[in-house]
Amino acid sequence: MAHKVKLNESNSTRVSAEDLHRQLSMIFQAVETPENHADIAAKVLVSASVRGVDTHGVSQVIGYSEAIESGFFTVPQETTVITESETTALLSAGNGIGLVSAYEGMEIAIRKAQEYGLGMVSIRDGHHVGMVAYYAMMALEHDMIGMSMTTATPSVRPALGAKKMLGTNPIGFAAPAGAERDFVLDMATSTVAGGKVGLARRLGVNIPEGWALTTEGKPLTEPEEENDRWALNPLGNTREQGSHKGYGLAMMVDILCGVLSGGGFSRQLARGENMTCLMAVDIGRFRDIDDFKAMMDDMIGQLHSTPTLPGEEGVLVAGDPEAEATEDRLVNGVPVENGNYAGIKARALEVGTEVVI
Amino acid sequence: MAHKVKLNESNSTRVSAEDLHRQLSMIFQAVETPENHADIAAKVLVSASVRGVDTHGVSQVIGYSEAIESGFFTVPQETTVITESETTALLSAGNGIGLVSAYEGMEIAIRKAQEYGLGMVSIRDGHHVGMVAYYAMMALEHDMIGMSMTTATPSVRPALGAKKMLGTNPIGFAAPAGAERDFVLDMATSTVAGGKVGLARRLGVNIPEGWALTTEGKPLTEPEEENDRWALNPLGNTREQGSHKGYGLAMMVDILCGVLSGGGFSRQLARGENMTCLMAVDIGRFRDIDDFKAMMDDMIGQLHSTPTLPGEEGVLVAGDPEAEATEDRLVNGVPVENGNYAGIKARALEVGTEVVI
């Protein structure tokens, strides 16, 4: 099964997070990205790899730097405020690197929440923002709750429908704990993220029934290249099992990112155009932050000690697998799949910079 | 199948929404609820029935009025501000009728959004708020986006877990459209709302596999009365199909309602204690409201014209079934299931008021 494929010592090479950051920043700078933006982009991508979210990790530097060279991403970029109020801002990403505009957008949301309790930013004219929870997590060090969501190129059918109309439209949500790990949710609103299907295709393995349907409504287990003959299922899969819920959440994301920003809902956008919405909530406006964290610890502890279904090792909380990956990878290096490892090095040479990994 | 059971002319009696409102308000007042609060409670319950959400509709007046008489709900009630800032408020519902405190809370969130762009209210010491989308929908007439969520008595297992640890923790989200119907999402974060399982039990019909599991991990199709030998599945059902997503959303609701308010997450609460979170976003702070609504219409129109899966009549948008029920019921009367109809009348006599339905 595709979702059980793991990077290991034979299919990947371990590289330190610091070296990866340096390499990625150098590649971005070599294609004319200003140093501060190159550092942001490198930071977000390396963070995804450190957290084990390899589909959104360091290998993306190849495609992103190509998009910069082709002019699809505008670099140097400027994130501009189209309109703002005490708590809100409508931004244009200026068609730049999505990682940079989302990072700068979340900084604005946090600043507004510091001043007024809440902050919300909707970003138009944007591109792929990578691991969406990154931006929600930026709130944590400020003792805030963060939310982040983004649209994506249509690949998901609506409930009862047979055609790709919505992106996988993921939602990120982060809330700080005390002694326990922070709560970090990062979920596509489809049954499965698109990256897992692509991975299965590259590996030549089947996907489980329930992830995708043909336009004739038949379960699809050997997904073809992207085309209009099949679509991902919204979370819930079938009418009986709640497909209207995943579909409804995907529309919510399209509304907060695409319609609220005016940048367009996912079906209106060209491949690679993504709109984003970010929010910060200052916990201290509601209650003492230490009390909040203590109650988070209590909830997380109780969930961890829930009796499991037969055959399961333990109940996890959102963010646990990523925190475990982080603990390993910061110490032992970040495994980079061998094809990607070679690809990043080749890309460095191609753009005329040094190879440091 | 339980989810295909519909009220019809043989199992229900049509009553006008006005008469139902009058009857419910009279019952609430007869158990010492002040008139303004009785009117709010009646309005929310009748609205649910008008929208076809019968599980959260007029029949609830029986249990609510009993909870008032027993002292489980404190009436007359006062919704008090424990702490507030420009955009936020922490409220105590004072253990009163949940419908009233949530209504008053959403009024505060809207007022703050009018002044600062965003408003967010977390409510502790509360009870059942009925159809959660009601409060999100209150934002619509102010040209705002509304969000609402509430915790519930544990009935849902976490992903990989075998014990009820979370409520069905529903989420409401409403955004205004122009010529099209407004977008109104109202979804439990479990595969199915608890009310549908209760309905199946009362009707003696099986539920589909996927809605619930025994603690041994076996699919349950004939759910027993509430006990600890089974649990509802989180949306997604299985690890492979995304059960961590429904579970993660349920935790998000517990965090925003229970932990942020300090009232307690669902596992800490006694049956009937529910914490609530409400949010309002002033669309005009981001862009022109007419442009926003025109883009909503465009999105909704495109989704409605999506080719369907074989055998399906058409693609719906969240809120469509409820809007259709409303169109019928406001003209032809609200069908009240015959047992509930008799129950409401009996309850009116019991509390010493007139029967007007």
Side-chain angles (χ1 to χ4, degrees):
Chain A
M1 290 296 191
H3 59 299
K4 291 187 179 156
V5 172
K6 293 258 184 277
L7 293 181
N8 57 41
E9 306 311 320
S10 74
N11 64 16
S12 65
T13 305
R14 296 251 183 187
V15 186
S16 78
E18 293 72 19
D19 287 348
L20 283 170
H21 181 96
R22 193 164 154 239
Q23 183 69 79
L24 266 56
S25 180
M26 286 164 65
I27 294 173
F28 279 117
Q29 290 182 59
V31 291
E32 310 302 334
T33 310
E35 188 180 346
N36 61 336
H37 287 173
D39 273 341
I40 290 171
K43 188 156 68 166
V44 178
L45 292 182
V46 173
S47 168
S49 284
V50 166
R51 291 173 58 74
V53 187
D54 298 299
T55 48
H56 293 65
V58 291
S59 66
Q60 297 289 325
V61 72
I62 301 169
Y64 288 157
S65 62
E66 286 168 354
I68 293 168
E69 280 195 320
S70 75
F72 184 61
F73 290 0
T74 300
V75 163
Q77 72 193 84
E78 201 184 347
T79 306
T80 52
V81 176
I82 299 171
T83 179
E84 69 177 325
S85 71
E86 290 92 337
T87 58
T88 63
L90 171 65
L91 304 183
S92 169
N95 292 307
I97 306 168
L99 311 169
V100 173
S101 52
Y103 187 97
E104 293 178 339
M106 192 66 191
E107 286 184 322
I108 293 173
I110 289 168
R111 212 151 55 225
K112 288 178 180 292
Q114 282 168 334
E115 201 164 349
Y116 291 100
L118 302 175
M120 185 172 174
V121 167
S122 195
I123 308 178
R124 52 174 298 164
D125 315 322
H127 292 299
H128 193 246
V129 302
M131 176 182 68
V132 75
Y134 185 91
Y135 313 99
M137 290 173 70
M138 287 172 65
L140 295 174
E141 63 181 296
H142 302 281
D143 286 341
M144 291 185 183
I145 291 169
M147 285 191 77
S148 49
M149 45 191 84
T150 188
T151 64
T153 303
S155 60
V156 183
R157 64 179 188 84
L160 314 184
K163 187 176 160 188
K164 297 174 175 181
M165 295 296 286
L166 301 137
T168 53
N169 292 8
I171 297 173
F173 179 90
E180 297 283 354
R181 292 163 174 157
D182 297 328
F183 178 84
V184 181
L185 180 66
D186 192 335
M187 55 170 273
T189 52
S190 45
T191 297
V192 74
K196 291 209 179 156
V197 177
L199 182 63
R201 195 185 302 121
R202 287 197 302 282
L203 297 170
V205 299
N206 286 2
I207 58 170
E209 286 195 14
W211 287 11
L213 284 187
T214 68
T215 48
E216 289 82 38
K218 298 208 168 59
L220 183 74
T221 55
E222 297 178 62
E224 304 168 359
E225 290 291 321
E226 282 303 315
N227 62 43
D228 279 336
R229 293 192 296 274
W230 64 281
L232 291 176
N233 284 327
L235 178 62
N237 297 347
T238 64
R239 178 204 289 256
E240 194 171 82
Q241 302 294 329
S243 57
H244 58 289
K245 299 184 182 187
Y247 164 41
L249 290 171
M251 279 191 75
M252 179 184 82
V253 172
D254 254 346
I255 291 168
L256 290 173
C257 301
V259 184
L260 189 60
S261 74
F265 52 90
S266 47
R267 185 74 203 173
Q268 291 181 312
L269 301 174
R271 174 167 291 274
E273 291 180 348
N274 303 116
M275 309 297 138
T276 300
C277 185
L278 306 162
M279 201 181 309
V281 178
D282 184 8
I283 296 165
R285 304 282 176 137
F286 291 90
R287 63 184 301 216
D288 178 79
I289 183 69
D290 293 327
D291 292 343
F292 176 93
K293 289 179 179 176
M295 196 182 275
M296 287 291 294
D297 286 350
D298 202 2
M299 176 169 63
I300 292 167
Q302 286 195 25
L303 286 162
H304 279 155
S305 60
T306 308
T308 66
L309 292 177
E312 299 294 350
E313 279 178 26
V315 169
L316 304 177
V317 166
D320 280 343
E322 295 82 1
E324 273 169 35
T326 301
E327 285 158 22
D328 166 48
R329 292 175 176 203
L330 286 183
V331 173
N332 302 311
V334 179
V336 182
E337 189 268 319
N338 286 332
N340 289 333
Y341 181 61
I344 295 169
K345 292 199 290 188
R347 185 67 187 143
L349 295 173
E350 202 169 72
V351 298
T353 189
E354 214 181 323
V355 172
V356 298
I357 58 172
Chain B
M1 290 295 192
H3 59 298
K4 290 187 179 154
V5 173
K6 293 258 184 279
L7 293 180
N8 57 41
E9 306 310 320
S10 74
N11 64 18
S12 65
T13 305
R14 296 254 182 184
V15 185
S16 77
E18 293 73 19
D19 287 348
L20 282 170
H21 181 97
R22 193 163 155 240
Q23 183 71 78
L24 265 56
S25 181
M26 285 164 66
I27 294 174
F28 279 117
Q29 290 182 58
V31 292
E32 309 303 333
T33 310
E35 188 179 347
N36 60 335
H37 287 173
D39 272 341
I40 290 171
K43 188 156 69 166
V44 178
L45 292 182
V46 173
S47 168
S49 285
V50 166
R51 290 174 59 75
V53 187
D54 298 300
T55 49
H56 293 64
V58 291
S59 65
Q60 297 289 324
V61 71
I62 300 169
Y64 288 155
S65 62
E66 286 168 353
I68 293 168
E69 280 194 321
S70 75
F72 184 62
F73 289 1
T74 301
V75 164
Q77 71 193 84
E78 201 183 348
T79 306
T80 53
V81 176
I82 299 171
T83 178
E84 70 177 323
S85 71
E86 292 90 338
T87 58
T88 63
L90 171 63
L91 304 184
S92 170
N95 292 307
I97 305 168
L99 311 168
V100 173
S101 52
Y103 187 97
E104 293 179 339
M106 192 65 191
E107 286 184 322
I108 293 173
I110 289 169
R111 211 150 56 224
K112 288 178 180 292
Q114 281 168 333
E115 201 164 350
Y116 291 100
L118 302 175
M120 185 173 174
V121 167
S122 195
I123 308 178
R124 52 175 297 165
D125 315 322
H127 292 299
H128 193 246
V129 302
M131 176 181 68
V132 75
Y134 185 90
Y135 313 100
M137 289 174 71
M138 286 172 65
L140 295 173
E141 64 181 295
H142 302 280
D143 285 340
M144 291 185 183
I145 290 169
M147 285 191 78
S148 49
M149 44 190 84
T150 188
T151 64
T153 303
S155 60
V156 183
R157 63 180 189 84
L160 314 185
K163 187 177 160 186
K164 297 174 175 182
M165 295 295 287
L166 301 136
T168 53
N169 291 10
I171 297 173
F173 180 90
E180 297 282 355
R181 291 165 176 156
D182 297 328
F183 177 83
V184 180
L185 180 66
D186 191 336
M187 55 170 274
T189 53
S190 45
T191 298
V192 74
K196 290 208 179 156
V197 176
L199 182 62
R201 195 185 302 121
R202 286 198 301 283
L203 298 170
V205 298
N206 285 3
I207 59 170
E209 285 195 14
W211 287 11
L213 285 187
T214 68
T215 47
E216 288 82 38
K218 299 210 167 57
L220 183 74
T221 55
E222 298 179 60
E224 306 169 356
E225 290 292 321
E226 282 304 315
N227 62 43
D228 279 337
R229 293 192 295 275
W230 65 281
L232 292 175
N233 284 327
L235 178 62
N237 297 347
T238 64
R239 178 204 290 255
E240 194 171 81
Q241 302 294 329
S243 57
H244 57 290
K245 300 183 180 187
Y247 164 42
L249 290 171
M251 279 191 75
M252 179 183 83
V253 172
D254 255 346
I255 291 168
L256 290 173
C257 301
V259 184
L260 189 59
S261 73
F265 51 91
S266 48
R267 186 73 204 174
Q268 291 180 313
L269 301 174
R271 174 167 289 274
E273 290 180 350
N274 302 115
M275 307 298 137
T276 301
C277 185
L278 307 162
M279 201 180 311
V281 178
D282 184 8
I283 296 164
R285 304 282 176 137
F286 291 89
R287 64 184 301 217
D288 178 80
I289 184 70
D290 293 328
D291 293 344
F292 177 93
K293 289 180 179 176
M295 195 181 276
M296 286 291 294
D297 285 351
D298 203 2
M299 176 170 65
I300 291 167
Q302 286 196 27
L303 286 162
H304 279 153
S305 59
T306 308
T308 65
L309 291 178
E312 299 294 350
E313 280 179 24
V315 169
L316 304 176
V317 166
D320 280 344
E322 294 83 1
E324 274 169 34
T326 301
E327 285 157 22
D328 165 49
R329 292 176 176 203
L330 286 183
V331 172
N332 302 312
V334 180
V336 182
E337 189 268 319
N338 287 333
N340 290 333
Y341 181 60
I344 295 169
K345 291 198 290 187
R347 185 68 186 142
L349 295 173
E350 203 169 73
V351 298
T353 189
E354 214 181 323
V355 173
V356 299
I357 58 173

